[in-house]
Amino acid sequence: GQNIDQPTEMTATEGAIVQINCTYQTSGFNGLFWYQQHAGEAPTFLSYNVLDGLEEKGRFSSFLSRSKGYSYLLLKELQMKDSASYLCAVRVLTDSWGKLQFGAGTQVVVTP
Amino acid sequence: GAVVSQHPSRVICKSGTSVKIECRSLDFQATTMFWYRQFPKQSLMLMATSNEGSKATYEQGVEKDKFLINHASLTLSTLTVTSAHPEDSSFYICSASDPNSSYNEQFFGPGTRLTVL
C-alpha cells in the first residue's frame, strides 16, 4: 500500500504564510496533487508536481522532491477563506489509468 | 475547469433499502470515473475505478455486490448502495478524469451525503 503522511492541523493568522508538508512512500509514482476541500464539499484542484522543483501559482506554491518522497504546499498572504482541509494525493500507475491515494488531510485554520 | 455533477446531494433512507447515486461529467467525456467514500475528518478512500463499457475495478475490502457500479456512457457512472445499513452512512464522492486536461487530473463531484437510519 501507499503511506502518505501530512500534519493533522495547522493554525496561522491572516496575512501570514503556512507550509504544509507531505511525505509519501509509494511505487509507480506518477505525480503528486494538492487539493483544497471545504467541509462538506468536493475537493478542488490546487497544484500538480511530477518533476522535482517548485511550481508557483499565485498565492499557492508546491514543491516536490521525488528522491526524498517529499512535497510541500505553501500558502502565502493567508485569507480567512483559506481555512479548509488540504489534501496531498499521490497518483500511481495501475494498468491503463492512474489512481489517486490521498493523505488524511491537513486542516488549516486561519485566525484574524 | 471541467465540471462533474452528482445527484442527489443528500439522501436519507431506511436500513435495508437501496440507494442510487449518479455522477455525470457535464462538459467532457470521461472514460474513467472513480468512486470515493469519506468519513468525518478522514481522507478520501478510493472504493472503485469505473471504465465505460467494462466492469469496475474494486479496491481491496470493498464488496462489489454491495456497491454496484455501472458506467453506461462516457458521461455517466452510477453507484448503487444495496441493502444499506447505518455503517454505510458516509460522504460519497465521484471524480472523472479528463484526458484533455493539462495533467489528466481528476475533477470531483460535489458529493452525496448518505444517511441510513
Side-chain angles (χ1 to χ4, degrees), chain A residues 30-64:
Chain A
N30 188 241
L32 187 145
F33 294 82
W34 283 95
Y35 284 88
Q36 180 192 62
Q37 186 181 26
H38 286 99
E41 298 180 11
T44 55
F45 170 79
L46 290 179
S47 70
Y48 172 71
N49 296 73
V50 67
L51 300 176
D52 290 352
L54 186 68
E55 293 286 338
E56 296 188 82
K57 209 174 183 181
R59 293 190 299 115
F60 296 166
S61 303
S62 58
F63 172 83
L64 175 68

Side-chain angles (χ1 to χ4, degrees), chain B residues 5-117:
Chain B
S5 70
Q6 254 181 270
H7 179 80
S9 57
R10 288 179 179 272
V11 59
I12 301 173
C13 69
K14 292 182 179 179
S15 187
T17 60
S18 294
V19 174
K20 181 186 281 189
I21 302 169
E22 291 187 351
C23 177
R24 293 180 186 272
S25 56
L26 298 185
D27 50 1
F28 66 100
Q29 293 186 328
T31 52
T32 305
M33 289 185 170
F34 303 84
W35 287 96
Y36 296 85
R37 181 166 52 183
Q38 186 176 34
F39 292 106
K41 300 200 175 182
Q42 294 186 25
S43 190
L44 279 73
M45 297 301 296
L46 180 65
M47 299 175 67
T49 303
S50 166
N51 284 289
E52 186 265 337
S54 63
K55 290 184 179 180
T57 301
Y58 290 81
E59 294 299 299
Q60 194 171 8
V62 178
E63 300 174 59
K64 61 181 180 181
D65 294 330
K66 181 168 183 63
F67 298 100
L68 301 178
I69 291 172
N70 184 279
H71 194 151
S73 75
L74 287 172
T75 59
L76 173 65
S77 176
T78 61
L79 168 69
T80 301
V81 183
T82 62
S83 187
H85 290 285
E87 57 266 30
D88 298 324
S89 297
S90 188
F91 192 50
Y92 291 86
I93 306 178
C94 73
S95 71
S97 286
D98 181 358
N100 295 319
S101 63
S102 302
Y103 312 115
N104 196 18
E105 68 262 41
Q106 294 180 26
F107 295 90
F108 287 84
T112 297
R113 175 76 58 194
L114 171 63
T115 303
V116 185
L117 303 177

